[in-house]
Amino acid sequence: MTTLHEPDTLDASLGATGPLADARTQLREATTLLGYDEGLYQMLATPRREVTVSIPLRRDDGTTELFVGHRVQHNFSRGPAKGGLRYSPDVTLDEVRALAMWMTWKCALLDVPYGGAKGGVTIDPRNYSQAELERVTRRYTSEISPLIGPERDIPAPDIGTDEKTMAWLMDTYSVQQGHTVLGVTTGKPISLGGSRGRATATSRGVVHVAIAALLSRGIDPADATASVQGFGKVGRYAARFLADAGTRVLAVSDQYGAVHSAAGLDVPALETHVDATGSVVGFAGGDAVPAEAVLEAEVDLLVPAAVEGVLRADNASRVRAQVIVEGANGPTTPEADRILQEAGRLVVPDILANAGGVIVSYFEWVQANQAYWWSENEVEDRLAERMLAAWDSVNTAATRLDVPLRTAATCLAVERVAQAHQLRGLYP
Ligand code: NAD
């Protein structure tokens, strides 16, 4: 069963709150600086297509539960839509809209030939068995299958989903088509057409940019200290690669708690602890601290790599890191951005900092569509090249325009999408 929704109010000031209001505020600033008219702003502020679906689940004990899922395709002026699939109890349609919009800017900024999309199911995956999650994924995929495909919209993992989810999604879509369609998702297992380097790509990209940002502030990464919020697919490997670069990771957190060590955490030992227990809590190599201590730690670098809206007007002034690199999407609200800017902090925005994932997703899609796979070194080298080129272009634009990195990045991205839109023209 599918239901089409009307887009909600277009302006942040007219009622929308949370990530969607933040995304529209950022877009409004960019379209104003670029001198675009209201019509173009409205077109870019509104998803091209969105669908809400019901997902009935037969539980292992025979009872039935109902979930709601969304897929939002924000824009496809530059190519098929692309974006993650999130399983979280906090998923809302507005959140998915915001995440889809940020994907459009990210793909344009990194010059990968996609528009932006996002999907979500309002479910806490920790409360369900693997068999139940498989049924949820297959039903959700069936419901959205008319909208997805290698030339239409290509999902990938996000919060609460992983390579297994992508394998089920790919299989369900393929069964419906009558043949195997590897290019319908990215972030698949390597044995099923996944790309080498995809699982760690977002974190690699975060650390490439974090090192460049620290150096731009005259801080040697090998002498630096860091804290990381979130220890999932992004935060965990970000902590590992920072430690590999010689940076001391003093604090990390997950949704259950936080640990801190003034001498620096032993990240491989922490990973072993998390694999065994499911959380950073109870790690013997550090002290338990309140969750907010990670955001406010006395460090050079802060990597928020969990959820949206964690740096806000009420806590931004307590951030002591000189450099903030957004592993998560939307962790900093526009008010926090202003406070951090005034305090002289350098915020490397999500659409640049965490783009490593979509870059290697693009590589995976290219490899799957050609049925020809690259070596890990090829993937890593091309990822580094694209991340550092994007860092240079955003940094140069920010200096030239005398604006924060986020404003520069959003302007560069919005300009590319608007150009594609204008060259294609309006149909009819
Ligand atoms: P994940 O589900 O693998 O991990 C999320 C982590 O955040 C977990 O450790 C969880 O315990 C923790 N967490 C949740 N709420 C928290 C809170 N309030 N405080 C502290 N920790 C909390 O998800 P992920 O894929 O690592 O995604 C994290 C962020 O990175 C999201 O914003 C996602 O959109 C973004 N992102 C992910 C990718 C990717 O390739 N996976 C790419 C780009 C951006």
Side-chain angles (χ1 to χ4, degrees), residues 17 29 107 111 122 126 131-132 221 232 235 266 268 280 299 301 319 352 393 402:
T17 55
E29 186 187 15
C107 293
D111 204 15
T122 312
R126 293 170 302 173
E132 289 170 334
D266 178 345
V280 302
V299 286
L301 169 69
V319 169
L352 168 63
S393 67
D402 193 21

Side-chain angles (χ1 to χ4, degrees), residues 19 59 113 129 202 220-221 223 225 260 279 301-302 322 358 375 401:
R59 296 215 58 177
S129 70
T202 307
D220 178 356
D223 275 339
T225 53
H260 180 274
S279 168
L301 169 69
L302 166 63
Q322 280 303 312
V358 79
S375 71
L401 300 169

Side-chain angles (χ1 to χ4, degrees), residues 43-60:
M43 199 214 68
L44 296 171
T46 311
R48 288 288 293 275
R49 189 184 279 157
E50 45 189 43
V51 65
T52 294
V53 300
S54 305
I55 308 166
L57 166 69
R58 189 173 52 258
R59 296 215 58 177
D60 293 341

